[in-house]
Amino acid sequence: MSCHSRSPLTPPTAPDWGLALGISTSDFAARAFTRDPSSLKSIRCFVRNTAVAWGIGAVAEDLTLVVNELTTNAVRHALRSSTQREAKAWLGIARTAGTVLCAVSDPSPAPPLPHPPRGMAVAGRGLLVVDALTSQWGYAEAAPGKTVWARLNAHAH
């Protein structure tokens, strides 16, 4: 995967200021995304670059996969059905002692429900992947919508 080479800790240049493209500190990073597929590619790069900058590159692949599943679900089930053309969802990731927490907030109040995959279906395994790669995950109602979160073990190397 080719990711933007700018460190997530480097301040963006105008007109990239603000949460719309991402902010981060030594232990927290956030980024908005839309239903545009290029937005999800940007999220994956943001997560990977942030993990490396935080010294937890060993879990960058798992973290990126978990975030990809959560953000893809937000696009499929919340943003595409939104009546607002420019509807946004948000990703936040936080590093704590030995763990990293990712949270995705979207405008849909519908809870995330894992479903058993059907035969050779290509889709429908996202939350099963999240469950397999994380130590814990869940969701909380938020106004408007919900926040789906997941925790991964992330010891710095």
Side-chain angles (χ1 to χ4, degrees), residues 90-103:
W90 296 90
L91 163 70
I93 51 177
R95 177 180 61 162
T96 61
T99 65
V100 63
L101 178 72
C102 57

Side-chain angles (χ1 to χ4, degrees), residues 82-146:
S82 174
T83 58
Q84 295 179 326
R85 178 155 172 76
E86 296 301 318
K88 290 184 179 175
W90 296 90
L91 163 70
I93 51 177
R95 177 180 61 162
T96 61
T99 65
V100 63
L101 178 72
C102 57
V104 174
S105 293
D106 69 51
S108 171
L113 300 172
H115 299 286
R118 296 184 180 163
M120 299 299 287
V122 176
R125 293 177 174 81
L127 291 175
L128 297 174
V129 169
V130 170
D131 190 57
L133 295 177
T134 63
S135 59
Q136 189 177 18
W137 73 274
Y139 77 98
E141 294 177 3
K146 68 176 170 306

Side-chain angles (χ1 to χ4, degrees), residues 20-94:
L21 288 181
I23 63 166
S24 62
T25 66
S26 61
D27 295 314
F28 176 78
R31 191 159 188 146
F33 61 98
T34 66
R35 66 181 100 190
D36 182 343
S38 67
S39 184
L40 292 178
K41 178 181 179 190
S42 177
I43 285 287
R44 290 189 299 271
C45 290
F46 179 71
V47 170
R48 182 180 313 276
N49 290 341
T50 300
V52 169
W54 284 352
I56 56 171
V59 297
E61 291 294 324
D62 287 352
L63 179 60
T64 302
L65 185 54
V66 167
V67 167
N68 185 64
E69 295 299 338
L70 297 181
T71 55
T72 298
N73 283 349
V75 167
R76 279 194 184 129
H77 303 294
L79 296 179
R80 285 194 181 148
S81 63
S82 174
T83 58
Q84 295 179 326
R85 178 155 172 76
E86 296 301 318
K88 290 184 179 175
W90 296 90
L91 163 70
I93 51 177

